[in-house]
Each structure stands twice: as structure tokens, then as C-alpha cells.
């Protein structure tokens, strides 16, 4: 029997268990004339006339006709495992094909940038419940690029005590809630505490430290006293800046903070009292008073400064101190009016209560509300309106006493035309802002820059007012200018923004508008509607001024990103 028949079986079928082998056939490009001389091997391979196996590659493109294809032979012999194929060298490139060039470094960077942009477009939004890192709260502040140590702090309680003392000191010196929070976060993070939470509510500060493998610690501090000390606030800002840069340890920071608390204020008491009077005299000249009115305002402020200092030593609450001060000022104006002196009594009263108006507190409260501290803002608003109530009560009591003495009632809401040329008013504004900076005990080197920011803000106020935009828009635009310049100037001089912005913003006098409105609504019952409308206008001015200061601060951030690092380099060179 033939071998093929033995492999296939009697019926021509392949026996079970035998794997048939399909032998591939190689194609040749031989012309038709040479096809007769080719032969087929026993395994089914087609050979060339020379006896060599035909090439297994694809047919050449120049072949006119393909060679006949031999049939596929099926064998029933078991297939042995194939041997490893020898490595075949890649065929040479065809003539005229350009060689592959390596990608340059610029092309690699361009491709990577394109991939990042595409990934940013394709990436989904962050989950709405994703937690925010406490350090992310420092974005936009002078401490956003702080140095965080790799290892944790071993004595966490001492670091928390330092953070609370820092917060209490800043609050007592007049800082806003946002400045206190960012300073605490920057200090604790730079000193090795990462798992902390800070909560500021009006005059209380709470800090919680909850390490992953430790016992949580929660501490709270209540601030019960306040004082004007912007110079100390500047020193605290510089200390926190150095802590954030990694140049000051906890023990050294605690020592320096205690030294700042014991440090004497830059201006003595007599100079602060004198500055009170200069501010009142200068601003009375701006709002329409003459030389005699400015002189009377100067004397009235000296008098109420003495009254406030004496009552402060007696531990009398601020409400009654403000009431007594406004009573004294109004009685002075009534007596001058009864003596028929050539001076309007209303401007005497206004000049005497200018520094009693809680304008700075109103602006700070609105800033806290905008920055995300509504409870703190509500507490400051309540304190400010209590001060307004004390002012109105003092004037009402003085008016009642004057009527008992036979003195005619005066109208303290009266306004006056300008008494000096515009250039003189600008100079008076500079003197008034410098005096306010002194009364706030700012650093000596910041007095003139603060006055310059106030002057530029006043120029913006009057310039925008000439465009006819109204009394509500002009203060907001002026506040944006002052907030913008205050951040640049303050960070260049190593100080927080509010140290320059708050004294400069007092030239907007939103507190005077509220006072007049409250006075009308309280003294004359027939004009309650007029007084309420005036208070709404005053609140719009206050909101515009405070929001403008915050907006100007945010607009100046791109221009001051290197300010903190520049100050750090200067300090390192000094050391």
C-alpha cells in the first residue's frame, strides 16, 4: 500500500489523534518559460531549476506573470516542535527612501506640552466633596511658598501654644481674621504640623491638631483687649515670613514674639494725642471749615483724648467713653454758638467726632465678610453700630442740656462748600493720613508711604467724581486704587497690606455718612424715612470701599509674587 494511503486510512480519512501538517508553498518569480524545468520535492516544496529552494519572500514587482502554484500536500505525520528561527537582518532600505532622523529635544518638549494640554481638556472636574488642604488656604498670601519640613514636630503642644499666642497678638494689634488665619497656617505648617484646623470666631481662636496615629489636641484662646500697634503687627508679619522660609525655629520664634509684645510703641502718648488733633484740624479744612474751625477741632480732640484716657484708667466700657466724648464736643459747639462766634457749630461737632467714628472697624468687618468670616464680621458690625449709637446718644444728651440752658438746637448734618483750593485740600489729605498712621502706631518708615497712598486715592476719588459716576461708585474706585497700591508698597517694605490700606481708606469717611443718617432718624422722628435712606446709601459706600480694598489687593497679587522672596533674601544678606 502506498505511504499516503497508509497515512490516510482505508476510507481516505485521517485517523483520529493524528494532526495533519499543512506544508506552505513558496512562490517564485520565474518566467513562464522556465516553469517546466522546475521540480517538486517529496515534502511538497517547489524548487528552482538550479535545485535551490525558492525564496519565501513576496513576489517582486517586476514579475510579469506569477508562476503556477503547486497544490498543498497533506500529511498525517505528527508535527515536531519547530526549531527557533534564525535571526533575520532587516532588509536594506530601497534606493531613494529618506533615512529616519532622531527627534530633537524641542520637539520632545513640544509633544509633552501638547499631551498635557490634551490631558487637561480631557480630565474631568474634581469631585465637589474633595477636601481642601489647609496649606491651600495660603494661595495668594505672602506665605504661599513656605518651606515645610519632612519630619513631624515632636513637641506639638508647644507649637500650638506658639500659634495661639501669635493669633492673640495679631488680633490685639488690629489684624483682620484672614491675616490671622494665614499666619497661623503658615507657622504651624513650617514648624512641622500638617494635620491642623483653625477656627476664628469674632474674638476667639481655636486650633485643632489631629495626627493620624496620635491623640488629637484642641486649644482655644479668647482675645479680651485691643490696642493700636501697627508697628508690632509689621514685626509679627516679618517673623512669620522668616518662619515660612524655614529660617527660624519654634523656640527662637517664641522668644522673638514675646520680645515684640514687650516692645515699646514707636510714638509716645503726647505725639499720638497731638496727631489726633492734627487729623481733625486737617480734615475739617477738607470738608469746608476755615482756619478757626480747624483750630477749634484741634482743641476739641485734645480735650476728648484726655477724657477718654482718664475714663479708660477707670475701666469704664467703651460705649460710655464714646458717649461722654461726643457730649463734650457737642457742648463746646453749643457754647461757641451761644457766644455768637463766627463759626458753624455743626462743623465743630463733625471735627470733634471724626476719630470717634468706627470707620476702620466697618471696613475691617466688611473685609472679613468678603474673605469668608461672617461670624467675625457680624461681631464687628455690632460693635461699630454700638459706637454710632453712643455718638448719637451723646449728641442728643448735649442738645437736651443746651435747650435747658436756653441754647437753640443745632443741625449737625449741615454740609459746607470747599474753603481752600484743590491743591491745598490734597496737602491736607496727606497730613490727615499721616496723622492717622501715627495714631495707629505704625512703623516710622511707613508713615510717608501711607500718606502717599492716601493722596493718590483722594486724587482718584475726585477724578472719578468729575466723570459724574455718582457718590457710590467713586469711593469704590478710589478704594480699588488704594488697595492695589497698599499691597505693593506694604510688601516692598515688609508689612501686611492692611497696615497701609486701612489708614489710607479713612479719607473716604463712610462713617460720617452713617452718623448723619442715624442722627436724623434718632433726633427728628418726622425724618425717619430720610435717615433710613441715608443709612442705606452709607452702607453701599462702605461695601463699595471695603470690597474695593479687597479687590485691589487681589489685583496686585500677580505683581507682588516675588516680593516676599525678595524680602527674605534681603534679611539673609543682613544676617
Amino acid at each position: 500500500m502506498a505511504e499516503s494511503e497508509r497515512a490516510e486510512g482505508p476510507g481516505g480519512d485521517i485517523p483520529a489523534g493524528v494532526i495533519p501538517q499543512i506544508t506552505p508553498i513558496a512562490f517564485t518569480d520565474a518566467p513562464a518559460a522556465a516553469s517546466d524545468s522546475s521540480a517538486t520535492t517529496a515534502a511538497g516544496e517547489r524548487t528552482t531549476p538550479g535545485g535551490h529552494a525558492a525564496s519565501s519572500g513576496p513576489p517582486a514587482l517586476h514579475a510579469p506573470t506569477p508562476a503556477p502554484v503547486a497544490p498543498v500536500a497533506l500529511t498525517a505525520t505528527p508535527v515536531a516542535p519547530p526549531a527557533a528561527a534564525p535571526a533575520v537582518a532587516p532588509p536594506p532600505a530601497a534606493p531613494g527612501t529618506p533615512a529616519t532622523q532622531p527627534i530633537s529635544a524641542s520637539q520632545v518638549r513640544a509633544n509633552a506640552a501638547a499631551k498635557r494640554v490634551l490631558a487637561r481638556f480631557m480630565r474631568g472636574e474634581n469631585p465637589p466633596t474633595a477636601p481642601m488642604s489647609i496649606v491651600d488656604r495660603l494661595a495668594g498670601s505672602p506665605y504661599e511658598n513656605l518651606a515645610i519640613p519632612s519630619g513631624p514636630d515632636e513637641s506639638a503642644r508647644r507649637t500650638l501654644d506658639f500659634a495661639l499666642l501669635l493669633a492673640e497678638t495679631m488680633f490685639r494689634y488690629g489684624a483682620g481674621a484672614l491675616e490671622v488665619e494665614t499666619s497661623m497656617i503658615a507657622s504651624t505648617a513650617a514648624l512641622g504640623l500638617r494635620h491642623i484646623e483653625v477656627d476664628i470666631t469674632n474674638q476667639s481662636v481655636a486650633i485643632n491638631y489631629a495626627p493620624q496615629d496620635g491623640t488629637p489636641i484642641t486649644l482655644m484662646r479668647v482675645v479680651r483687649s485691643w490696642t493700636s500697634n501697627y508697628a508690632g503687627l509689621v514685626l509679627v508679619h516679618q517673623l512669620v515670613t522668616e518662619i515660612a522660609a524655614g529660617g527660624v525655629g519654634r523656640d527662637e520664634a517664641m522668644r522673638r514674639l514675646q520680645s515684640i509684645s514687650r516692645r515699646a510703641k514707636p510714638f509716645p502718648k503726647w505725639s499720638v494725642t497731638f496727631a489726633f488733633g492734627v487729623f481733625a484740624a486737617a480734615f475739617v479744612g477738607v470738608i469746608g471749615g476755615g482756619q478757626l474751625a480747624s483750630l477749634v477741632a484741634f482743641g476739641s480732640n485734645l480735650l476728648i483724648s484726655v477724657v477718654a484716657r482718664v475714663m479708660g484708667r477707670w475701666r469704664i466700657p467703651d460705649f460710655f467713653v464714646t458717649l461722654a466724648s461726643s457730649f463734650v464736643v457737642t457742648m463746646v459747639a453749643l457754647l461757641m454758638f451761644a457766644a455768637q462766634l463766627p463759626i458753624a457749630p455743626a462743623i465743630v461737632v463733625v471735627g470733634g467726632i471724626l476719630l470717634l467714628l468706627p470707620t476702620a472697624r466697618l471696613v475691617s468687618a466688611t473685609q472679613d465678610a468678603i474673605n469668608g468670616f461672617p461670624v467675625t464680621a457680624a461681631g464687628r458690625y455690632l460693635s461699630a453700630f454700638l459706637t454710632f449709637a453712643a455718638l448719637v446718644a451723646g449728641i442728643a444728651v448735649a442738645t437736651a442740656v443746651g435747650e435747658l440752658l436756653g441754647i437753640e438746637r443745632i443741625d449737625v448734618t449741615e454740609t459746607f462748600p470747599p474753603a481752600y483750593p484743590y491743591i491745598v485740600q490734597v496737602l491736607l489729605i496727606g497730613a490727615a493720613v499721616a496723622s492717622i498712621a501715627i495714631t495707629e502706631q505704625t512703623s516710622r518708615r511707613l508713615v510717608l508711604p501711607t500718606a502717599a497712598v492716601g493722596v493718590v486715592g483722594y486724587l482718584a476719588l475726585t477724578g472719578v467724581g468729575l466723570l459724574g459716576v455718582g457718590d457710590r461708585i467713586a469711593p469704590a474706585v478710589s478704594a480699588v486704587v488704594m488697595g492695589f497700591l497698599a499691597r505693593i508698597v506694604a510688601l516692598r517694605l515688609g508689612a501686611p497690606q492692611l497696615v497701609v490700606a486701612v489708614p489710607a481708606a479713612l479719607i473716604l469717611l463712610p462713617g460720617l455718612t452713617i452718623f448723619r443718617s442715624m442722627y436724623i432718624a434718632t433726633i427728628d422722628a418726622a425724618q425717619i424715612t430720610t435717615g433710613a435712606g441715608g443709612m442705606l446709601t452709607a452702607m453701599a459706600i462702605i461695601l463699595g470701599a471695603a470690597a474695593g480694598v479687597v479687590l485691589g489687593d487681589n489685583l496686585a497679587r500677580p505683581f507682588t509674587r516675588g516680593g516676599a522672596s525678595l524680602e527674605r533674601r534681603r534679611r539673609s544678606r543682613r544676617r
Side-chain angles (χ1 to χ4, degrees):
M1 183 181 295
E3 185 172 345
S4 60
E5 293 181 358
R6 289 196 306 269
E8 295 179 0
D13 298 329
I14 299 175
V18 178
I19 301 176
Q21 180 180 6
I22 300 176
T23 305
I25 301 300
F27 296 93
T28 61
D29 303 330
S35 61
D36 293 338
S37 60
S38 62
T40 303
T41 63
E45 291 181 330
R46 190 168 181 271
T47 59
T48 60
H52 300 286
S55 173
S56 61
L61 296 178
H62 63 272
T65 55
V69 179
V72 178
L74 299 177
T75 60
T77 57
V79 180
V88 181
T97 303
T100 303
Q101 299 294 332
I103 300 178
S104 62
S106 60
Q107 291 175 328
V108 172
R109 289 192 296 269
N111 292 341
K115 290 180 180 178
R116 286 194 299 268
V117 172
L118 181 60
R120 191 179 301 116
F121 278 114
M122 299 301 294
R123 188 184 304 122
E125 295 183 357
N126 292 329
T129 56
M132 174 183 177
S133 174
I134 189 69
V135 182
D136 293 340
R137 184 68 171 167
L138 301 177
S141 71
Y143 320 118
E144 57 182 346
N145 298 319
L146 78 163
I148 302 178
S150 57
D153 188 2
E154 297 298 334
S155 53
R157 174 59 191 266
R158 297 178 62 186
T159 303
L160 296 178
D161 289 337
F162 167 76
L164 284 179
L165 181 60
L166 175 72
E168 180 186 7
T169 304
M170 294 184 69
F171 258 130
R172 197 150 39 86
Y173 289 171
L178 181 62
E179 288 79 11
V180 175
E181 185 192 58
T182 54
S183 298
M184 293 180 68
I185 295 172
S187 300
T188 52
L191 295 177
L193 300 187
R194 303 187 183 183
H195 307 283
I196 69 163
E197 291 293 339
V198 176
D199 183 31
I200 298 174
T201 305
N202 197 11
Q203 62 185 29
S204 64
V205 182
I207 185 170
N208 174 264
Y209 174 59
Q212 295 179 352
D213 300 325
T215 304
I217 302 174
T218 301
L219 302 176
M220 188 182 72
R221 186 72 59 87
V222 178
V223 183
R224 295 184 175 88
S225 63
W226 291 267
T227 183
S228 297
N229 192 356
Y230 278 1
L233 197 59
V234 170
L235 295 176
V236 172
H237 171 82
Q238 295 171 357
L239 173 60
V240 176
T241 302
E242 295 183 20
I243 294 174
V248 178
R250 185 193 58 248
D251 295 337
E252 175 66 16
M254 178 66 78
R255 186 191 63 80
R256 289 179 55 178
L257 182 60
Q258 293 173 350
S259 176
I260 292 172
S261 301
R262 294 190 298 265
R263 189 186 183 96
K265 297 180 180 180
F267 298 99
K269 292 182 179 180
W270 67 265
S271 62
V272 172
T273 303
F274 184 79
F276 267 106
V278 171
F279 170 79
F283 225 99
V284 163
V286 173
I287 62 178
Q291 296 180 1
L292 181 58
S294 295
L295 182 61
V296 172
F298 179 83
S300 298
N301 273 269
L302 293 181
L303 179 60
I304 64 175
S305 297
V306 174
V307 171
R309 189 167 298 167
V310 172
M311 297 182 70
R313 285 199 294 264
W314 294 346
R315 300 288 184 178
I316 297 177
D318 291 338
F319 179 88
F320 298 106
V321 174
T322 304
L323 189 151
S325 299
S326 62
F327 173 82
V328 170
V329 169
T330 307
M331 286 303 301
V332 170
L334 289 173
L335 293 176
M336 295 180 64
F337 179 66
Q340 298 182 353
L341 293 178
I343 182 175
I347 204 166
V348 175
V349 175
V350 171
I353 66 172
L354 277 175
L355 280 175
L356 300 176
L357 296 171
T359 304
R361 205 176 310 165
L362 285 172
V363 174
S364 299
T366 309
Q367 288 178 338
D368 289 340
I370 294 174
N371 290 324
F373 299 92
V375 178
T376 304
R380 293 190 175 186
Y381 274 130
L382 178 61
S383 176
F385 278 99
L386 281 176
T387 303
F388 283 123
L391 289 172
V392 173
I395 295 175
V397 172
T399 302
V401 172
E403 290 180 349
L404 292 176
L405 297 176
I407 303 175
E408 184 181 351
R409 177 179 293 186
I410 61 176
D411 181 14
V412 300
T413 62
E414 184 180 0
T415 57
F416 304 92
Y420 298 103
Y422 182 73
I423 184 64
V424 176
Q425 295 181 26
V426 172
L427 295 177
L428 290 175
I429 284 291
V433 176
S435 301
I436 283 293
I438 293 174
T439 59
E440 295 291 347
Q441 293 287 357
T442 190
S443 178
R444 295 177 184 270
R445 59 191 177 90
L446 287 173
V447 173
L448 293 181
T450 304
V453 172
V455 168
V456 175
Y458 183 74
L459 294 176
L461 176 68
T462 54
V464 175
L466 293 177
L467 300 177
V469 297
D471 295 336
R472 300 182 183 182
I473 303 297
V477 176
S478 175
V480 171
V481 174
M482 288 188 287
F484 183 90
L485 294 177
R487 181 179 178 91
I488 295 177
V489 171
L491 291 186
R492 291 288 181 181
L493 297 176
Q497 187 250 10
L498 70 93
V499 171
V500 178
V502 172
L506 290 182
I507 66 169
L508 303 176
L509 284 185
L512 183 59
T513 308
I514 287 187
F515 161 73
R516 286 171 171 168
S517 303
M518 290 186 65
Y519 181 82
I520 291 175
T522 304
I523 301 301
D524 192 352
Q527 298 186 9
I528 292 179
T529 304
T530 304
M535 289 186 64
L536 291 177
T537 301
M539 287 303 299
I541 294 175
I542 290 173
L543 289 174
V549 172
V550 176
L551 177 60
D553 178 58
N554 284 271
L555 292 177
R557 287 180 178 180
F559 302 94
T560 57
R561 293 192 182 278
S565 59
L566 177 62
E567 184 66 19
R568 294 170 191 166
R569 291 195 297 268
R570 288 175 179 172
R571 296 183 190 284
S572 62
R573 285 199 296 266
R574 293 193 196 111
R575 291 196 296 265

